[in-house]
Amino acid sequence: MKIKIYLLTLLFSAFVNAQDNYSINNLQEENSKLSKSAQLQKILSIPYDKFVGNIKTSEILANKAVSLALELNDSISLAKSYVQLAQIYTYKDKRDKKVEYNLKAINVYEDIGELAKAGYAYGELGYSIKREDLKNALFYMRKGIYLIENFSAAIKIDATYDNYGILQGMKKNYDSALYYHNKSLTIKKLN
């Protein structure tokens, strides 16, 4: 009986993975028929779970998004593309590249005055380097929180608070960790 359940679970998992890969792989083919601007927007709108579910294809698409954004002189999309590449390199455990692309996104956002989005990117950078460099991770996350809190009500900050709480827990600052987790939870309950 256990073997049957295991086999059914394995088959179901393979089916789900095939569906996910099929949709993101099809995007490459479908995109070639669209305008450059539509291609760019389609790549940038890939849901996070699909995006990280197929890192190899997503890396190709994110690099294409960078090229399209540069060609179209679309700074917002360029920064978003850099954030996507940073996420890919986080999953590929390529520290230098994840930091490089997060900093590129931050620079673009700061250059065009999108400080809250720069704050989000700072938060992502801080969280992604927490195991290698906790001191700088805390610095980047504090900077991110400051920018989001002071320059936008539209950027969701609940995940950044939650992640900052995790970093505080890693430093054994349990009261601070609880404080930020509670702030995050309060926001999540309101939405």
Side-chain angles (χ1 to χ4, degrees):
M1 183 67 165
K2 287 183 181 180
I3 293 174
K4 284 182 183 180
I5 292 172
Y6 175 75
L7 289 174
L8 284 173
T9 304
L10 189 62
L11 278 169
F12 180 74
S13 296
F15 175 75
V16 169
N17 286 335
Q19 295 288 19
D20 286 347
N21 289 338
Y22 175 78
S23 63
I24 200 164
N25 286 333
N26 274 357
L27 179 62
Q28 282 184 287
E29 292 172 27
E30 292 171 12
N31 245 4
S32 63
K33 300 169 189 163
L34 301 172
S35 71
K36 290 179 181 183
S37 180
Q39 288 180 43
L40 178 59
Q41 295 315 309
K42 194 137 187 162
I43 292 169
L44 294 176
S45 67
I46 298 170
Y48 180 79
D49 63 326
K50 302 271 189 258
F51 185 77
V52 298
N54 188 337
I55 294 296
K56 187 176 181 179
T57 303
S58 294
E59 183 177 10
I60 293 165
L61 290 170
N63 278 307
K64 182 172 183 163
V66 167
S67 296
L68 290 168
L70 287 168
E71 189 176 332
L72 296 168
N73 199 26
D74 182 344
S75 297
I76 292 284
S77 294
L78 179 62
K80 288 178 183 177
S81 301
Y82 287 152
V83 169
Q84 283 186 333
L85 282 169
Q87 289 171 336
I88 288 166
Y89 293 124
T90 297
Y91 280 96
K92 291 180 93 174
D93 200 27
K94 294 190 175 183
R95 183 185 192 281
D96 292 341
K97 285 194 171 269
K98 75 180 170 187
V99 170
E100 173 190 348
Y101 283 102
N102 264 313
L103 291 174
K104 282 183 175 191
I106 289 165
N107 287 333
V108 171
Y109 282 135
E110 288 178 340
D111 286 347
I112 61 175
E114 291 284 347
L115 298 180
K117 290 179 181 176
Y120 176 79
Y122 273 117
E124 289 293 302
L125 173 59
Y127 191 73
S128 74
I129 65 169
K130 67 186 176 294
R131 301 226 183 271
E132 300 102 18
D133 188 353
L134 187 58
K135 181 180 176 186
N136 278 322
L138 288 162
F139 170 79
Y140 287 130
M141 291 210 70
R142 278 192 301 271
K143 188 166 185 169
I145 288 170
Y146 172 81
L147 290 172
I148 296 169
E149 285 178 340
N150 289 287
F151 294 100
S152 176
I155 301 284
K156 294 183 82 173
I157 194 168
D158 55 318
T160 306
Y161 283 151
D162 213 17
N163 289 342
Y164 190 66
I166 291 169
L167 270 64
Q168 289 296 329
M170 290 172 68
K171 277 201 61 123
K172 299 186 182 352
N173 296 336
Y174 300 118
D175 287 343
S176 292
L178 186 59
Y179 173 79
Y180 282 98
H181 288 308
N182 282 333
K183 279 184 88 152
S184 173
L185 184 60
T186 300
I187 293 169
K188 288 176 184 175
K189 284 181 178 179
L190 294 174
N191 294 327

